[in-house]
Amino acid sequence: MNSCRSAGITAGIKAGERFYCKRIIFTALIAISLLAITEAHAADIEFKGKLSTQAGLGIPNGHNSSNEGEYLLGTVGAEGSVTAYSDASTLYADASLTYDYIVKEENLTFRLKEAWYDYNGGWWTVRAGRQLTAWGAADGIQVADVLCPQDQTSLWSSDYSESRLGIDALRVSLSNNTVTADLYWIPIFTPNELPLKEGNPLKEIIIPSSASMGSTVIPISKVTEDSFEKPDLKLSNGEYATRIKAFLPFADISFYGFYGWDDTPVMKYSIGQSITVTGTYERMTMLGMDASIPIKSVVLRLEGAVFPARAMATSPETQVAEQVKAYMAGKTDFDYFVRRNEIAGLIGLDIMPAGWTITAQYYIDAIMGDIKMLERERYEHEATCSISKSFLRDTLELSLTGIVELNHFSSMINPSAAYSLSDQLSVSLSGNFFFRGPDSENKGKYAAYEDLDCISLKATFSF
């Protein structure tokens, strides 16, 4: 049984190496094409860039934080973009280099965020390469926004838009004055980036170092990106998506369709002398819509999504029981996920009185069918509120964001202040504070992060 598991892990690592070699080749071809076309045809070229540094320090929080006084965030980064225009063609590339001095492995990360060629034929447009696209009308909450995966490695995720990762895709857009239709073919799957590096403070929350089985504490084997089996790189494993957006006199309405792979792996827990965490990425379908409706000085936002038969991992306890049954039957594999219909929805209001910007949202996520083997509740819902205003001729912006999950009333508060010293230099001071709910048995979703309360200082120089 252990030899089979070892062989499977080895095969998965080799498959992952082949997958990323092909991705590197694909990305290199895009970059070479961009450079060649820019040299040959570009009439106007625009360069932009920024340098930034950010540090976050754990603070006292009233519940014996183990991270008090420790650095929980520390990065130095550089980002640059180039845009080249020529007649109906546009070339764009955006890359970043980040050094993280908190994690203990692979501290330096290069990321090609975007690299695409766009041709505008009037009523039709084609864009090919790595690109970012935002779906949905929600503010900082993922409902129908499933096209681009997320970078989930950062403790500081107050800016949801910056967490998106680019997809390698071909997009064809058809439009007139009222309706725009986008069609996507995504031949290469990109998963969420998970906090699996040693030293990342989020790793212990997602995958702890050990687990208790009755009175026995069993260690969990090291988990890396290669622990999760990605789809083979072949034509039949491509992803497909569409968005139809209508600009009507009374509202902006969008419809979404996606058929591809879930960006988050379904985790599998195998019990031996240690717990081995592996998993797979499973097929997923999403149908969604959103609407933004102006009502005098208020904008009403609605968004909903349906995920038919979505793969969901069963609880570790259920997986242990399934593994024992499989072992007794002489099998080496066991069921570690089930498929359930999922529905998500959101209603939000945007109000801007006297220069203030106020956003309030209510979000719900529901699972149909039997859920007793899942580690979640049938209905999970949250409320968010964000308030911001600029002062001193728009050089100072103060904001406050709060989230309350309404199942157990745990919460998170994110205050921030950003000041522009000049057109190029800005500094910001932010805080992340997490609070447990009143229930002594289940303290809620955000209670898991209560040891990660911290304040952060960031400086950015743009050029």
Side-chain angles (χ1 to χ4, degrees):
M1 183 172 174
N2 289 335
S3 62
C4 292
R5 183 183 304 150
S6 176
I9 294 174
T10 303
I13 292 174
K14 291 181 178 179
E17 290 173 348
R18 292 194 299 270
F19 178 88
Y20 281 104
C21 283
K22 292 177 181 178
R23 163 155 287 184
I24 290 170
I25 293 171
F26 181 83
T27 302
L29 289 175
I30 292 175
I32 292 170
S33 300
L34 286 171
L35 291 173
I37 298 174
T38 299
E39 289 293 328
H41 300 290
D44 298 300
I45 301 178
E46 179 181 292
F47 295 94
K48 290 183 180 180
K50 65 180 181 181
L51 303 174
S52 64
T53 181
Q54 186 174 14
L57 186 68
I59 61 173
N61 51 22
H63 43 76
N64 300 319
S65 172
S66 60
N67 295 307
E68 180 180 333
E70 295 187 7
Y71 284 103
L72 301 179
L73 178 69
T75 60
V76 176
E79 181 177 341
S81 66
V82 56
T83 309
Y85 310 91
S86 178
D87 299 326
S89 298
T90 303
L91 292 165
Y92 179 78
D94 185 352
S96 65
L97 186 66
T98 304
Y99 180 79
D100 189 328
Y101 52 85
I102 300 299
V103 300
K104 300 175 182 177
E105 55 182 347
E106 300 177 10
N107 307 75
L108 192 64
T109 302
F110 172 79
R111 176 174 292 158
L112 183 63
K113 301 175 71 173
E114 291 191 82
W116 46 258
Y117 169 74
D118 186 282
Y119 182 83
N120 189 339
W123 62 273
W124 61 275
T125 302
V126 174
R127 177 173 294 183
R130 181 164 299 180
Q131 50 196 279
L132 289 169
T133 302
W135 277 10
D139 179 25
I141 296 179
Q142 189 178 47
V143 182
D145 189 22
V146 301
L147 184 67
C148 289
Q150 303 289 321
D151 179 1
Q152 301 177 340
T153 63
S154 176
L155 173 66
W156 222 258
S157 56
S158 56
D159 192 343
Y160 173 83
S161 63
E162 290 188 0
S163 69
R164 291 188 181 90
L165 300 174
I167 54 171
D168 299 318
L170 174 67
R171 188 189 77 186
V172 178
S173 300
L174 312 174
S175 63
N176 57 28
N177 294 331
T178 304
V179 179
T180 298
D182 297 324
L183 306 173
Y184 294 86
W185 174 49
I186 310 164
I188 300 176
F189 169 66
T190 302
N192 287 341
E193 192 168 333
L194 302 175
L196 301 178
K197 293 180 181 179
E198 292 298 327
N200 191 317
L202 294 175
K203 182 176 182 179
E204 280 290 313
I205 295 174
I206 295 178
I207 302 175
S209 59
S210 63
S212 298
M213 295 295 175
S215 59
T216 304
V217 177
I218 304 177
I220 294 178
S221 300
K222 183 177 180 180
V223 181
T224 67
E225 290 183 358
D226 292 324
S227 301
F228 306 108
E229 182 182 347
K230 300 176 181 67
D232 292 334
L233 187 60
K234 56 184 181 181
L235 195 62
S236 60
N237 282 339
E239 300 178 295
Y240 305 89
T242 183
R243 175 178 66 176
I244 300 174
K245 189 174 185 66
F247 304 93
L248 304 177
F250 59 90
D252 292 344
I253 301 176
S254 298
F255 298 91
Y256 305 95
F258 176 84
Y259 176 72
W261 300 91
D262 206 323
D263 294 329
T264 301
V266 178
M267 293 191 180
K268 178 180 180 181
Y269 302 89
S270 302
I271 310 299
Q273 293 182 343
S274 64
I275 299 175
T276 302
V277 181
T278 56
T280 55
Y281 295 89
E282 299 295 328
R283 278 290 189 185
M284 182 186 78
T285 301
M286 189 280 295
L287 300 173
M289 69 166 294
D290 69 54
S292 297
I293 307 170
I295 306 173
K296 295 184 178 180
S297 61
V298 177
V299 176
L300 173 65
R301 291 180 289 108
L302 305 171
E303 186 173 350
V306 177
F307 301 84
R310 189 174 191 176
M312 299 180 182
T314 55
S315 66
E317 293 78 12
T318 300
Q319 293 193 26
V320 170
E322 289 295 322
Q323 184 177 359
V324 170
K325 288 196 297 184
Y327 179 78
M328 297 299 293
K331 299 179 181 178
T332 59
D333 204 2
F334 59 93
D335 295 329
Y336 58 97
F337 69 88
V338 295
R339 291 192 175 272
R340 295 290 182 266
N341 297 324
E342 180 181 8
I343 300 174
L346 176 140
I347 181 171
L349 291 175
D350 296 337
I351 310 171
M352 289 179 284
W356 292 82
T357 300
I358 303 173
T359 297
Q361 300 178 129
Y362 172 74
Y363 165 77
I364 186 169
D365 181 295
I367 301 295
M368 307 293 107
D370 185 7
I371 65 164
K372 63 182 180 181
M373 69 287 292
L374 301 177
E375 268 197 316
R376 60 156 291 164
E377 300 184 46
R378 183 178 301 279
Y379 304 103
E380 296 183 349
H381 54 152
E382 298 182 350
T384 76
C385 184
S386 177
I387 303 173
S388 65
K389 183 174 172 57
S390 295
F391 301 89
L392 304 177
R393 298 180 181 179
D394 294 333
T395 59
L396 174 65
E397 182 180 16
L398 301 180
S399 64
L400 177 65
T401 299
I403 304 175
V404 179
E405 59 90 8
L406 299 173
N407 291 82
H408 303 282
F409 295 97
S410 66
S411 58
M412 185 274 284
I413 295 178
N414 171 223
S416 68
Y419 182 68
S420 298
L421 298 169
S422 66
D423 291 339
Q424 289 78 37
L425 182 62
S426 65
V427 294
S428 63
L429 180 66
S430 307
N432 268 356
F433 308 103
F434 302 93
F435 304 92
R436 64 180 68 177
D439 188 342
S440 60
E441 294 185 4
N442 190 331
K443 298 179 176 61
K445 171 182 176 181
Y446 294 104
Y449 302 89
E450 62 183 358
D451 286 339
L452 301 181
D453 286 0
C454 67
I455 56 174
S456 167
L457 181 64
K458 182 177 182 179
T460 303
F461 178 77
S462 304
F463 56 89

